[in-house]
Coordinates of all heavy atoms in Angstrom, one line a residue:
R392 N -40.8 -1.3 11.4 CA -42.2 -1.0 11.5 C -43.0 -1.0 10.2 O -44.1 -0.5 10.1 CB -42.4 0.4 12.2 CG -42.0 0.4 13.7 CD -42.5 1.7 14.4 NE -41.7 2.8 14.0 CZ -40.6 3.2 14.7 NH1 -40.2 2.6 15.7 NH2 -40.0 4.3 14.3
G393 N -42.3 -1.4 9.1 CA -43.0 -1.6 7.8 C -42.6 -0.6 6.8 O -43.2 -0.6 5.7
V394 N -41.8 0.4 7.1 CA -41.4 1.4 6.0 C -40.5 0.7 5.0 O -39.6 -0.1 5.3 CB -40.6 2.6 6.7 CG1 -40.0 3.5 5.6 CG2 -41.5 3.3 7.6
R395 N -40.8 0.9 3.7 CA -40.2 0.2 2.6 C -39.0 1.0 2.0 O -38.2 0.4 1.3 CB -41.2 0.0 1.4 CG -42.2 -1.0 1.8 CD -43.0 -1.4 0.6 NE -43.7 -0.3 0.0 CZ -43.4 0.4 -1.1 NH1 -42.3 0.0 -1.8 NH2 -44.1 1.4 -1.6
G396 N -38.9 2.3 2.3 CA -37.8 3.0 1.7 C -37.7 4.5 2.2 O -38.7 5.0 2.8
F397 N -36.6 5.1 2.1 CA -36.4 6.5 2.6 C -35.9 7.3 1.4 O -35.1 6.8 0.6 CB -35.4 6.5 3.7 CG -35.9 6.1 5.0 CD1 -35.9 4.7 5.3 CD2 -36.4 6.9 6.0 CE1 -36.4 4.2 6.5 CE2 -36.8 6.5 7.2 CZ -36.9 5.1 7.5
V398 N -36.3 8.5 1.4 CA -35.7 9.5 0.4 C -35.4 10.8 1.2 O -36.2 11.3 1.9 CB -36.7 9.9 -0.7 CG1 -36.0 10.7 -1.8 CG2 -37.4 8.7 -1.3
R399 N -34.1 11.2 1.0 CA -33.7 12.4 1.7 C -33.7 13.5 0.7 O -33.0 13.4 -0.4 CB -32.3 12.2 2.3 CG -32.2 11.1 3.3 CD -30.8 10.7 3.6 NE -30.7 9.4 4.3 CZ -30.9 8.2 3.8 NH1 -31.1 8.1 2.5 NH2 -30.8 7.2 4.6
V400 N -34.4 14.6 1.0 CA -34.5 15.7 0.0 C -34.1 17.0 0.6 O -34.4 17.3 1.8 CB -36.0 15.8 -0.4 CG1 -36.2 17.0 -1.4 CG2 -36.5 14.5 -1.0
L401 N -33.3 17.8 -0.1 CA -32.9 19.1 0.2 C -33.6 20.1 -0.7 O -33.7 19.8 -1.9 CB -31.4 19.4 0.2 CG -30.5 18.5 1.1 CD1 -29.1 18.9 0.9 CD2 -30.9 18.8 2.6
A402 N -34.2 21.1 -0.3 CA -35.0 22.0 -1.2 C -34.8 23.5 -0.7 O -34.7 23.7 0.5 CB -36.4 21.6 -1.2
N403 N -34.9 24.4 -1.7 CA -34.9 25.8 -1.3 C -36.3 26.2 -0.8 O -37.3 25.4 -1.0 CB -34.4 26.7 -2.4 CG -35.3 26.8 -3.6 OD1 -36.3 26.1 -3.7 ND2 -34.9 27.6 -4.5
L404 N -36.4 27.4 -0.2 CA -37.7 27.8 0.4 C -38.8 27.9 -0.7 O -39.9 27.6 -0.4 CB -37.5 29.1 1.1 CG -38.6 29.5 2.1 CD1 -38.8 28.5 3.2 CD2 -38.2 30.9 2.7
S405 N -38.4 28.4 -1.9 CA -39.4 28.6 -2.9 C -40.1 27.3 -3.2 O -41.3 27.2 -3.4 CB -38.8 29.2 -4.2 OG -38.3 30.5 -3.9
A406 N -39.4 26.2 -3.4 CA -39.9 24.9 -3.7 C -40.8 24.4 -2.6 O -41.9 23.9 -2.7 CB -38.8 23.9 -4.1
I407 N -40.3 24.6 -1.3 CA -41.0 24.1 -0.2 C -42.3 24.8 0.0 O -43.4 24.1 0.3 CB -40.1 24.2 1.1 CG1 -39.0 23.2 1.0 CG2 -41.0 24.0 2.4 CD1 -38.0 23.4 2.2
V408 N -42.4 26.1 -0.1 CA -43.6 26.8 0.2 C -44.6 26.7 -1.0 O -45.8 26.5 -0.7 CB -43.3 28.3 0.4 CG1 -44.6 29.1 0.6 CG2 -42.4 28.5 1.7
Q409 N -44.1 26.7 -2.2 CA -45.0 26.8 -3.3 C -45.6 25.4 -3.8 O -46.8 25.3 -4.1 CB -44.3 27.4 -4.5 CG -44.0 28.9 -4.3 CD -43.4 29.5 -5.6 OE1 -44.1 30.1 -6.4 NE2 -42.1 29.4 -5.8
F410 N -44.7 24.4 -3.9 CA -45.1 23.2 -4.7 C -45.0 21.9 -3.9 O -45.7 21.0 -4.2 CB -44.2 23.1 -6.0 CG -44.3 24.4 -6.8 CD1 -43.1 25.1 -7.0 CD2 -45.5 24.8 -7.3 CE1 -43.2 26.3 -7.8 CE2 -45.5 26.0 -8.1 CZ -44.4 26.7 -8.3
L411 N -44.0 21.8 -3.0 CA -43.7 20.5 -2.5 C -44.8 19.9 -1.6 O -45.0 18.7 -1.5 CB -42.4 20.5 -1.7 CG -41.1 20.3 -2.6 CD1 -39.9 20.4 -1.7 CD2 -41.2 18.9 -3.2
P412 N -45.5 20.8 -0.8 CA -46.6 20.2 0.1 C -47.5 19.3 -0.7 O -47.8 18.1 -0.3 CB -47.2 21.4 0.7 CG -46.1 22.4 0.7 CD -45.4 22.2 -0.5
E413 N -48.1 19.8 -1.8 CA -49.1 19.1 -2.6 C -48.4 17.9 -3.4 O -48.9 16.8 -3.5 CB -49.8 20.0 -3.6 CG -50.8 20.9 -2.9 CD -50.1 22.1 -2.2 OE1 -48.9 22.4 -2.5 OE2 -50.8 22.8 -1.4
D414 N -47.2 18.2 -3.9 CA -46.5 17.1 -4.6 C -46.1 15.9 -3.7 O -46.3 14.8 -4.1 CB -45.2 17.7 -5.3 CG -45.5 18.5 -6.5 OD1 -46.7 18.5 -7.0 OD2 -44.6 19.2 -7.0
L415 N -45.6 16.2 -2.6 CA -45.3 15.1 -1.6 C -46.5 14.4 -1.1 O -46.5 13.2 -1.0 CB -44.5 15.7 -0.5 CG -43.0 16.1 -0.8 CD1 -42.3 16.7 0.4 CD2 -42.2 15.0 -1.5
Q416 N -47.6 15.2 -0.9 CA -48.8 14.5 -0.4 C -49.3 13.5 -1.5 O -49.8 12.4 -1.2 CB -49.9 15.6 -0.1 CG -51.1 15.1 0.6 CD -52.1 14.5 -0.4 OE1 -52.2 14.8 -1.5 NE2 -52.9 13.5 0.1
A417 N -49.3 14.0 -2.8 CA -49.8 13.1 -3.8 C -48.8 11.9 -4.0 O -49.3 10.8 -4.2 CB -49.8 13.9 -5.2
F418 N -47.5 12.1 -3.8 CA -46.6 11.0 -3.9 C -46.8 9.9 -2.8 O -46.9 8.7 -3.0 CB -45.2 11.5 -3.9 CG -44.1 10.4 -3.8 CD1 -43.8 9.6 -5.0 CD2 -43.4 10.2 -2.7 CE1 -42.9 8.6 -4.9 CE2 -42.4 9.2 -2.6 CZ -42.2 8.4 -3.8

Side-chain angles (χ1 to χ4, degrees):
R392 290 195 286 268
V394 172
R395 294 190 295 107
F397 285 82
V398 189
R399 300 163 193 82
V400 180
L401 299 178
N403 70 355
L404 194 59
S405 292
I407 289 175
V408 173
Q409 296 185 90
F410 307 117
L411 276 178
E413 289 76 18
D414 285 349
L415 291 179
Q416 189 278 332
F418 174 73

